[in-house]
Amino acid sequence: LKRVEERQESLRTRFVVDNDGQPRALILPCGEPPLVVEDMPGADAAAVQARLSALLDSPLDPFAEAPYRVTVLRGGEDGDVVVAQGHHLIFDGWALGVFVEEVFQAFLGIPLGPPEMTVEQYVNEFDRATDPVFMAEREAYVRELYGANPPPLPNFGRKAKGLAPNLDRTQAGPGGEIFAFLNATGHEKVQTRARRIGITETSLLNAAVAQAIAVRGGVEDVILNIPAAMRTDRRLNNFVGWVHGSTLLRAPGGAVADLDVLGVMLSDQLNRALVYTPFEFCFLDGDLHDDLVAKGSYLALFVSGMQTPDRFARGATTSALQRQGKTEELDLGLIKVAPLSAKLLRYAINEIDLRSFQSADGLAYRLGYDTTALTAAEGLELVADVLDRLGVGPDGCEAIVDTDAEEKNA
């Protein structure tokens, strides 16, 4: 952990609020990492699970402590348990992959190269949130995207159940999770279709999700929140920090019935939008956010895209731990490491989050959803509908798995 902290400034960052009320980031010199070892000699699985649950329910306060912590529960019947938690201020999905990979490489004695990006460099050269001219261009793009008649909130999810939608992303609901695993036939069908029309498999998925929401919600246009890794510069490949950016697309899922045509439209729109990404500046509050909500519209309720970068799902030292959906084991000789749970989230700030990823066996999809917005049955039906729109067919899907049901059965 010390070796990784030396390389990664964000792990040594502390947040404060100045007298003017503005948050500031302070980067500290290297010191002792936030590692705690708790001895639990002979503890059974129930005792370890109880302690694990207590740790996971203890939130990180980035204004009072380090932005990550690692706790080792040592001496249980089934081996030691390592619980690593990081705040979203410094960890996106890619950064988490870098952190896990570098910790294991340092543990194995594999040399780590010198850091190539500082936090200050990233903020000034890539995020550009402190550039007023560029921020004005970002806002102008979003306002033009919504236009004079912003897309109304679909009658779907929380709204269909008479509940207030999480428009400012502060009212999260308990998270549910469903996985769909394609076999080689299904993967080939999706891949061939995407290549035939000249777009990515992800753009095809975005179109299918937009159509599925539009039909259920009784609307013509759907606003999709598309996550992008934004690691376009080589220096960002091994940088731990929040680099991920969300892009908003206006998808005419109800007006365009041809999935291929819609996929091409969304692919072109995404390429134009990436210049102004990230759009998180308007997701929570501010004049633009408030204007759109007042007009009955919304920003970031429905997520679609790609989940795990292939870099960590395949070919990395820790790929067995970083692939989603199925529990695998990382064999380090005398030490075996396996995820304690395949479940990715406990709470959901988005009503749905449907993304593709590479499993050990090929292409797969994960639906994370707010259980106050969808029931498990509705989630399963949504996944099946999206697969059908993609043309996977009954012979192309290996399994659809509800992780909550599996954990209850276990």
Side-chain angles (χ1 to χ4, degrees), residues 298-322:
Y298 60 100
L299 290 112
L301 294 180
F302 311 121
V303 178
S304 177
M306 185 175 67
Q307 187 76 53
T308 306
D310 281 354
R311 176 181 180 192
F312 303 111
R314 296 181 291 188
T317 306
T318 54
S319 289
L321 298 181
Q322 304 227 31

Side-chain angles (χ1 to χ4, degrees), residues 88 92-93 169 202-203 205-206 224-231 242-249 270 274 277-280 283 300 302-309 350 352-356 366:
H88 232 341
D92 58 16
R169 296 166 71 85
T202 304
S203 290
L205 171 65
N206 295 339
L224 290 181
N225 174 9
I226 310 297
M230 304 300 290
R231 305 271 174 163
W242 177 268
V243 177
H244 155 111
S246 292
T247 299
L248 297 175
L249 299 185
L270 178 61
L274 284 174
T277 304
F279 293 160
E280 274 86 355
F283 282 3
F302 311 121
V303 178
S304 177
M306 185 175 67
Q307 187 76 53
T308 306
N350 304 295
I352 70 163
D353 184 337
L354 181 50
R355 303 192 222 176
S356 63
R366 170 194 165 273

Side-chain angles (χ1 to χ4, degrees), residues 40-103:
M40 301 183 68
D44 60 16
V48 172
Q49 183 61 48
R51 181 59 186 140
L52 174 62
S53 296
L55 288 169
L56 294 179
D57 284 334
S58 177
L60 285 165
D61 183 352
F63 289 93
E65 56 188 319
Y68 83 103
R69 62 178 171 229
V70 178
T71 307
V72 180
L73 307 179
R74 188 165 58 187
E77 286 181 350
D78 298 324
D80 299 341
V81 175
V82 179
V83 185
Q85 298 164 273
H87 200 283
H88 232 341
L89 276 170
I90 65 165
F91 283 104
D92 58 16
W94 187 295
L96 180 61
V98 172
F99 176 77
V100 172
E101 182 75 0
E102 290 194 351
V103 167

